Amino acid sequence: TQVLRKSLQKGVVLSAGSFLVYEAHKLISGFAEVHASFKVEDVIEQADYLYGSGETEKLYRLLVQHKNSDDAELLWRLARSSRDLAQLGSTSAEEKKQLTYDSLEYAKKALEKNESNFAAHKWYGICLSDVGDYEGIKTKIGNAIIIKEHFQRAVELNPKDATTIHLIGVWCYSFAEMPWYQRKIAATLFATPPTSTFQEALRYFHMAEEADPNFYSKNLLFLGKTYLKLNNKKMALLWLSKAKEYPAQTEEDKQV
């Protein structure tokens, strides 16, 4: 009735038949929207299952079909999947480079779609760092502050995400052990070059472990490496032993 009244006010006369068609169209459109939202949830559920099962190639094939999606949850997963595929030993150097740049684009798009998505910030920071490997040390150092800002924003949005806390630790470790020639480059890029210490890195690695104990083989490795840098061989041995005994499920675990 309201639809008819509004239509008549606009000078549009709807016949009983056209009104029924209009209502049916609304109903079908509404159903399609709901169906589409269920479809996204289904894809995400399937993607998370494949990720947990270590099915890197299957996961990528599933998600790349949705590269034009407007859903940040799908897009950051695609960024992660593209990066994981790039890390496989069977991936050629040319494919690895393409996947690395693709992953950054997907993460960037995820951020554009939802700035409040912590995982989009995390994977944007990771992928931006990866691209730096192809663009030289000057670009990599120049992006360093942007990368850290995205990691910190991710932790603000999700303080319990141990992986991002670990990544800030890696950032600190990298700047703590930076060789003199890289420090010189940093001094030309920034008025106040970013710096850190092994003690600061250690604090973040322990924070990550407290947030989610034994969550990541690489965090155990970095705890051991950092204690070595601080000349504490007893604690280094403890954490390196844990890293060595960690059940290897991924390619990265095996490398650790």
Side-chain angles (χ1 to χ4, degrees):
T1 308
Q2 283 182 323
V3 173
L4 278 168
R5 192 180 297 121
K6 287 178 183 175
S7 298
L8 287 167
Q9 285 170 353
K10 292 177 184 176
V12 178
V13 179
L14 293 174
S15 68
S18 60
F19 175 72
L20 287 171
V21 169
Y22 172 74
E23 286 298 307
H25 172 72
K26 279 209 307 177
L27 183 65
I28 292 165
S29 298
F31 174 77
E33 286 171 15
V34 172
H35 182 68
S37 68
F38 276 128
K39 187 181 178 184
V40 169
E41 289 168 10
D42 289 346
V43 172
I44 289 172
E45 186 179 349
Q46 191 179 351
D48 289 347
Y49 173 79
L50 289 171
Y51 181 76
S53 304
E55 296 281 2
T56 305
E57 293 178 22
K58 283 183 184 176
L59 175 59
Y60 176 77
R61 287 198 298 270
L62 169 70
L63 290 174
V64 78
Q65 298 174 64
H66 305 278
K67 64 182 180 180
N68 296 319
S69 171
D70 288 333
D71 193 289
E73 290 290 331
L74 276 177
L75 289 166
W76 75 252
R77 282 172 171 82
L78 176 55
R80 179 182 67 183
S81 172
S82 302
R83 183 181 186 271
D84 286 348
L85 188 59
Q87 302 294 316
L88 291 182
S90 56
T91 304
S92 71
E94 189 179 341
E95 287 172 325
K96 181 174 181 174
K97 184 177 181 180
Q98 185 62 55
L99 286 163
T100 300
Y101 278 89
D102 286 348
S103 65
L104 179 61
E105 283 305 307
Y106 301 140
K108 183 180 178 183
K109 191 178 174 185
L111 265 183
E112 289 168 356
K113 298 302 176 184
N114 186 357
E115 196 278 335
S116 296
N117 188 300
F118 89 93
H121 282 281
K122 174 169 75 174
W123 287 99
Y124 182 79
I126 293 169
C127 297
L128 185 60
S129 178
D130 288 346
V131 164
D133 293 338
Y134 291 100
E135 300 195 349
I137 193 67
K138 192 171 181 179
T139 299
K140 199 166 180 71
I141 294 171
N143 287 335
I145 289 177
I146 299 168
I147 291 164
K148 191 180 183 185
E149 284 173 353
H150 281 283
F151 289 158
Q152 288 173 326
R153 178 64 177 145
V155 172
E156 282 173 20
L157 291 165
N158 185 1
K160 294 183 178 180
D161 184 53
T163 311
T164 312
I165 300 169
H166 161 82
L167 289 168
I168 298 175
V170 173
W171 189 97
C172 294
Y173 185 97
S174 300
F175 273 91
E177 73 163 359
M178 183 178 280
W180 67 269
Y181 68 91
Q182 291 185 11
R183 291 185 190 280
K184 207 167 182 180
I185 294 169
T188 65
L189 295 173
F190 302 103
T192 307
T195 58
S196 191
T197 63
F198 291 116
Q199 286 87 349
E200 187 179 13
L202 188 68
R203 183 168 64 86
Y204 279 109
F205 295 138
H206 274 297
M207 282 171 59
E209 209 59 33
E210 286 165 18
D212 190 1
N214 212 40
F215 74 104
Y216 187 28
S217 60
K218 211 163 188 177
N219 198 62
L220 304 175
L221 175 66
F222 268 97
L223 276 160
K225 287 174 69 173
T226 310
Y227 272 116
L228 269 179
K229 292 287 187 182
L230 295 169
N231 295 315
N232 188 334
K233 292 183 180 179
K234 184 180 177 181
M235 290 300 291
L237 181 62
L238 171 70
W239 290 104
L240 291 172
S241 296
K242 288 186 178 184
K244 182 175 177 290
E245 292 159 11
Y246 193 90
Q249 294 178 326
T250 66
E251 191 70 28
E252 191 175 47
D253 291 335
K254 292 171 187 174
Q255 290 170 7
V256 164

